[in-house]
Amino acid sequence: FGGRHKVPLVIRLIVGRGWGQGPQHSQSLQSWFAHVPGLKVVMPVTPHDAKGLMLASIEDDDPVIFIEHRWLHQLHGPVPEGHYLTPIGPMRRLREGGDVTIAATSYMAVEAVRAAEVLARGGVRADVLAVTTLRPLDASGLLESVRRTGRLVVADTSWRPAGFGAELVAQVAEEAHGALRAAPRRLGTADTPVPTTAALARLSYPRVPELVRAAAEMVGADPASFQGFLEPPPEHLDVPDGAFTGPF
């Protein structure tokens, strides 16, 4: 309708693996929503994002799909008490580096920061970007980063084929192809329905080791040299770390 009608609607959804839920509850379908022109898709990472982006979504005149990963609900961080808005669109830099760009959505941004800490101990500096808005996508921060680093690793909470990670790679291929020193890499869940059993789930989801391996190979480093810096995986498969207690 050319902007003449307003649809100020926010639909809040929760995604994320856990508790052997299988494909009924653990799928991340953000790429479906991001495919629709005019539909805004937001995926916060930090507590600051959660409030600022939610308020911006509520005040927006267009419909917004607001997707949260359940593993993010225990994160702590500074949140202003008063009213503030986090702009819908731009990516957020979580860590600065000059060797490789890691662009990640939702909880994978947390894994990317942890991977960057491991990489730094081995001398590789990663630039970590949180993609908090999938649509409308502001790729300017991504392009600026890749033009500096020449390398790109994309991590999404969903599948690789036809997934949102492919959109990020396409943006770079079209706008900053000449800056690339290596072929971009995409990380996502295995190309299969989300498994219920623990044995298969361990092979389905990328975590810090997979991010470290991809970035190390991209800069020509031996991934095995970073093994000593990796923390052991949690005993319980369906929690991000030993400190996680919920909320569900």
Side-chain angles (χ1 to χ4, degrees):
F1 296 103
R4 290 178 294 172
H5 297 279
K6 299 179 180 180
V7 187
L9 170 70
V10 179
I11 300 177
R12 183 184 178 200
L13 306 173
I14 296 178
V15 299
R17 59 187 288 191
W19 316 118
Q21 294 171 339
Q24 289 81 4
H25 300 286
S26 299
Q27 297 179 110
S28 295
L29 304 176
Q30 58 266 22
S31 295
W32 286 15
F33 300 115
H35 188 67
V36 180
L39 186 61
K40 297 182 178 178
V41 182
V42 173
M43 297 186 78
V45 174
T46 67
H48 188 280
D49 293 338
K51 179 179 176 180
L53 284 170
M54 176 57 77
L55 291 175
S57 299
I58 292 172
E59 296 187 10
D60 199 282
D61 288 335
D62 295 318
V64 179
I65 304 295
F66 197 90
I67 304 175
E68 304 167 25
H69 194 291
R70 75 177 188 90
W71 279 9
L72 294 173
H73 282 186
Q74 189 164 294
L75 289 186
H76 291 75
V79 179
E81 292 186 3
H83 180 275
Y84 69 93
L85 302 177
T86 299
I88 296 176
M91 301 181 187
R92 294 187 59 242
R93 176 169 281 109
L94 301 181
R95 187 182 178 101
E96 188 171 356
D99 294 323
V100 58
T101 299
I102 304 178
T105 62
S106 191
Y107 177 75
M108 287 307 297
V110 177
E111 294 285 297
V113 170
R114 292 173 175 171
E117 295 170 353
V118 173
L119 290 164
R121 296 181 67 180
V124 177
R125 298 169 299 119
D127 205 41
V128 179
L129 301 177
V131 186
T132 55
T133 303
L134 281 63
R135 187 77 172 240
L137 175 64
D138 181 352
S140 59
L142 176 65
L143 297 174
E144 180 274 330
S145 177
V146 172
R147 288 184 177 118
R148 285 190 296 105
T149 67
R151 304 173 181 91
L152 173 63
V153 176
V154 173
D156 190 20
T157 60
S158 189
W159 301 285
R160 291 176 66 254
F164 185 74
E167 174 62 26
L168 297 178
V169 171
Q171 292 274 344
V172 170
E174 291 176 351
E175 303 294 336
H177 180 267
L180 290 173
R181 304 178 190 176
R185 296 278 297 272
R186 287 178 292 158
L187 296 182
T189 54
D191 188 18
T192 178
V194 176
T196 301
T197 65
L200 293 177
R202 291 186 186 280
L203 302 175
S204 180
Y205 299 95
R207 297 290 303 269
V208 168
E210 288 75 25
L211 282 163
V212 170
R213 184 182 307 114
E217 292 174 349
M218 193 165 286
V219 300
D222 181 7
S225 64
F226 295 89
Q227 291 299 315
F229 305 134
L230 293 171
E231 296 182 359
E235 294 183 7
H236 196 300
L237 173 69
D238 291 322
V239 298
D241 52 58
F244 187 84
T245 58
F248 56 86

